[in-house]
Amino acid sequence: MSSRNIFLDVDTGVDDALALLLAARSPQLNVKGVTCVAGNVPIEKVVRNTLDVLEVAGASHVPVARGMEFPLVEKMFNAAEIHGENGLGGIDLPASGSTVIDRHAVEFLAGEIDNSSEKVTIVALGPLTNIATLFRIYPNVVSGIEQLVIMGGAIGSGNTTATAEFNIRQDPEAADVVFNTDVPTLLYVWDVFTRVRFDKQEVDEMIGSDNDCKSLAGKLLLSYLTTKKEDTAGIGDAGAVACLLIPEAITTDVMPISVELIGEYTRGQTVFDQRKRKLSRLQPKIQKSISGMTEVVMDLDVESFRNTFVDNIVK
Ligand code: BDR
Ligand code: CA
């Protein structure tokens, strides 16, 4: 079985850590590199967490590059209240002996895409600052990208604000650049992100596993149970990786999408035009037309996602 070449762009992050474990352990995926971006926690912690999680996953050979430290325009804020001060829910992993490569994440990605004999897939799980910068400096990379999978946006309610999802709200201008770039994109929105969950008993069973990856996954999920005071914990970003593993388990729809940049209450909101195409063509009369067609994950088979997550992290 040939495996798919992917790059992960992360802001590790409890659920980015779950995504790293899943991607690194899945034989169907060949993780060619991981780029770090500031998001859930500042970039130094993102880098530290990423290196340490890859070590547990037996993937310390995977190159890790440090990327953008701040959003393109706005000041930095983060999500330490969800991910803990260290970004891993307080879990203290043994420090990996690996270090980041001596190239900026954007340079690294551009070089790798350019040198690759086949098209690559990028899975972006944090604010889109690295990816937007890549597209602005190296617009030609687009032809070397088979698919860009993004965790971001919300059709219904947001999480960071009433209307905006965290990754998009953290850097709306970057998201705007990316959604206006003509690259095949699959958007794993907040609405489906929250649906793949494990209860306390299942989490305890994972923690008790003699497999290091499964046990770490359990500990990460337990940190969510504790912090969020909920009965079940979601795998979050790891679901975006699972879309590559079981595409038959998702239902998608293609639609135009825009990012609200100036709304006083809605900055960072992703605006999805779900109207019939004929209707949306009338829009320019009264409002700027929404650009950029994006494939959006509208529904998923929860049980397939849960099984794939547990089965693959022990591989
Ligand atoms: C996104 O924000 C972060 O907290 C998670 O890692 C995920 O990428 C969800 O809004
Ligand atoms: Ca993330």
Side-chain angles (χ1 to χ4, degrees):
M1 177 182 55
S2 74
S3 51
R4 183 166 175 172
N5 289 336
I6 70 163
F7 293 86
L8 292 161
D9 186 64
V10 294
D11 63 329
T12 323
V14 171
D15 58 322
D16 301 77
L18 294 170
L20 285 166
L21 291 173
L22 179 60
R25 299 311 308 170
S26 294
Q28 305 95 311
L29 303 176
N30 179 19
V31 183
K32 302 276 288 176
V34 180
T35 51
C36 298
V37 64
N40 289 320
V41 283
I43 191 77
E44 289 75 21
K45 291 180 183 175
V46 173
V47 165
R48 180 77 269 146
N49 294 342
T50 302
L51 292 168
D52 294 349
V53 171
L54 286 175
E55 180 84 42
V56 176
S60 53
H61 58 279
V62 172
V64 174
R66 180 188 156 112
M68 301 296 280
E69 192 171 345
F70 300 108
L72 294 182
V73 174
E74 212 175 352
K75 72 173 174 51
M76 178 74 198
F77 59 98
N78 58 44
E81 67 285 0
I82 302 288
H83 298 266
E85 274 308 314
N86 77 344
L88 287 184
I91 298 166
D92 214 4
L93 290 178
S96 163
S98 305
T99 52
V100 286
I101 59 167
D102 194 18
R103 290 185 87 185
H104 190 278
V106 171
E107 301 295 329
F108 169 69
L109 278 176
E112 290 291 307
I113 296 168
D114 200 32
N115 292 331
S116 176
S117 55
E118 47 193 80
K119 290 191 178 196
V120 306
T121 294
I122 300 176
V123 184
L125 303 174
L128 290 164
T129 325
N130 281 343
I131 308 301
T133 308
L134 174 72
F135 288 168
R136 276 291 189 255
I137 304 181
Y138 300 102
N140 292 341
V141 295
V142 165
S143 60
I145 297 175
E146 181 181 346
Q147 191 177 35
L148 171 64
V149 181
I150 296 172
M151 189 286 126
I155 300 172
S157 175
N159 56 342
T160 291
T161 70
T163 58
E165 180 280 329
F166 176 82
N167 288 338
I168 307 301
R169 180 61 190 86
Q170 179 78 252
D171 196 341
E173 281 73 20
D176 187 50
V177 168
V178 172
F179 290 135
N180 281 292
T181 300
D182 194 12
V183 61
T185 299
L186 180 70
L187 194 63
Y188 191 71
V189 286
W190 173 252
D191 313 67
V192 286
F193 173 99
T194 52
R195 289 186 46 206
V196 185
R197 311 184 72 84
F198 291 92
D199 66 23
K200 175 79 165 60
Q201 192 184 338
E202 292 168 321
V203 167
D204 284 342
E205 272 167 28
M206 285 188 208
I207 294 173
S209 167
D210 53 12
N211 178 287
D212 287 348
C213 289
K214 191 168 178 180
S215 177
L216 175 56
K219 289 176 190 161
L220 289 161
L221 289 167
L222 179 64
S223 82
Y224 268 168
L225 286 175
T226 313
T227 318
K228 298 184 179 184
K229 297 189 174 54
E230 290 172 347
D231 296 336
T232 55
I235 65 168
D237 285 342
V241 172
C243 292
L244 297 174
L245 300 169
I246 42 170
E248 68 282 4
I250 58 174
T251 308
T252 65
D253 200 357
V254 178
M255 63 185 88
I257 169 173
S258 281
V259 181
E260 176 59 79
L261 298 177
I262 51 175
E264 187 176 356
Y265 299 103
T266 54
R267 181 165 155 79
Q269 178 179 1
T270 38
V271 180
F272 297 84
D273 195 343
Q274 297 190 66
R275 295 172 298 171
K276 298 259 177 299
R277 299 288 175 265
K278 227 163 65 188
L279 262 182
S280 65
R281 277 202 291 274
L282 298 175
Q283 185 165 355
K285 278 189 193 164
I286 56 166
Q287 193 189 348
K288 187 177 144 193
S289 134
I290 298 184
S291 56
M293 296 296 275
T294 301
E295 187 178 6
V296 182
V297 181
M298 306 296 284
D299 197 8
L300 51 78
D301 184 291
V302 172
E303 228 22 58
S304 301
F305 269 61
R306 279 165 39 89
N307 292 338
T308 296
F309 179 75
V310 175
D311 293 349
N312 276 43
I313 51 170
V314 294
K315 281 185 178 161

